[in-house]
Amino acid sequence: MKKRIAIFASGSGSNAQKIMEYFKKSNDAEVAIVLTNNPDAYVLQRADNFEIPSHIFDKKEFRDTDDVVQLLKNLQIDLIVLAGFLWLVPENLLKAFPNKIINIHPSLLPKYGGKGMYGDKVHLAVLANKELESGITIHFVNEHFDDGEVIHQSRFKIEAGDDLEMIKFKGQQLEHLHFPKVIEGLIKKMKTI
C-alpha cells in the first residue's frame, strides 16, 4: 500500500509542485492532500492541477482545535511535509505525528534559522554577513522554529557578485533536487519498519 503524504504550504508552492510531480507515478507514496493557511496561496492552484484535494484553515482551527489532526488521521497520513509553511506547528499535531513531520529551510541550520527567518530574510542575512556558502536544510519538526534533528543538508558556493536573486535561485535548485528524494528515503524507511 502506498504511504500517504500531506503537504503544508503558505505561498507559491514550487517545492510542493516538485513533490507532487515526483510522486505522481510512484509505487511507494502519493500526495493525499495539500493544506494551507492562506486562501490566496498559489499552491492551491498547483494542487488542483494535479487533482489533489486541498484544505484551507485559519489560526483558530489550527491552534485551538483538533480538526486538522483529525482530518490527517482520517486520511491515514504517514508523513507531513512543510514546504514553505510559516506557522509554528502546534503541540497536538506534533504529538499525533511524532517524527513524521519534516520541514525545509533555505540556510545551513543552525545558521539563519528561528522565528521570522524565512525566504528573502534568510538570503539577505547571508549576503549581509558576507558568507562564502549557503544551502538548504531538511529537518524533523519540533516545538521550536528550525530546531529539529537535521536529516539532510546541501550547500552551494556564493560567488563574488551573487545577488539576492542568484542566491535564491541556487538554493531553490537544491531544494527542488533534494527534497523529493529525501522524502522518498524516509518513506522507504517507513516501509521496512
Side-chain angles (χ1 to χ4, degrees), residues 21-109:
E21 284 170 5
Y22 193 87
F23 289 102
K24 188 173 169 63
K25 294 187 174 88
S26 169
N27 294 321
D28 295 319
E30 63 186 349
V31 177
I33 189 167
V34 171
L35 300 97
T36 185
N37 57 320
N38 176 2
D40 300 320
Y42 189 66
V43 74
L44 292 168
Q45 181 61 54
R46 293 183 196 263
D48 200 39
N49 292 345
F50 282 86
E51 298 179 345
I52 293 171
S54 56
H55 178 75
I56 303 165
F57 55 85
D58 60 20
K59 202 166 265 185
K60 182 171 177 32
E61 181 185 357
F62 192 54
R63 294 224 173 108
D64 301 338
T65 74
D66 282 327
D67 293 358
V68 172
V69 170
Q70 208 48 59
L71 173 65
L72 297 171
K73 285 189 166 190
N74 290 348
L75 290 170
Q76 298 175 306
I77 295 301
D78 297 290
L79 184 69
I80 296 170
V81 175
L82 309 185
F85 181 68
L86 302 181
W87 287 357
L88 195 63
V89 175
E91 194 176 331
N92 64 337
L93 192 51
L94 290 170
K95 280 188 173 158
F97 293 90
N99 294 319
K100 300 268 172 66
I101 308 174
I102 65 170
N103 181 45
I104 192 161
H105 185 77
S107 77
L108 296 169
L109 292 174

Side-chain angles (χ1 to χ4, degrees), residues 1 9 19 37 43-44 50 65 77 90 97-98 104 120 135 140 152 162 166 171 177-178 192:
M1 208 169 100
I19 295 163
N37 57 320
V43 74
L44 292 168
F50 282 86
T65 74
I77 295 301
F97 293 90
I104 192 161
D120 288 357
F140 286 107
H152 173 89
D162 279 0
M166 182 51 76
L177 177 66
H178 293 289
T192 60

Side-chain angles (χ1 to χ4, degrees), residues 14-15 18 106 119-120 123 127 134-136 155-158 162-178:
S14 69
N15 273 312
K18 291 295 177 191
D120 288 357
H123 305 308
L127 273 173
S134 190
I136 63 164
R155 49 192 78 228
F156 61 84
K157 281 191 172 14
I158 298 175
D162 279 0
D163 61 3
L164 172 64
E165 289 308 312
M166 182 51 76
I167 289 175
K168 266 169 61 172
F169 173 76
K170 287 179 177 181
Q172 207 167 47
Q173 294 293 102
L174 288 180
E175 290 177 7
H176 292 170
L177 177 66
H178 293 289

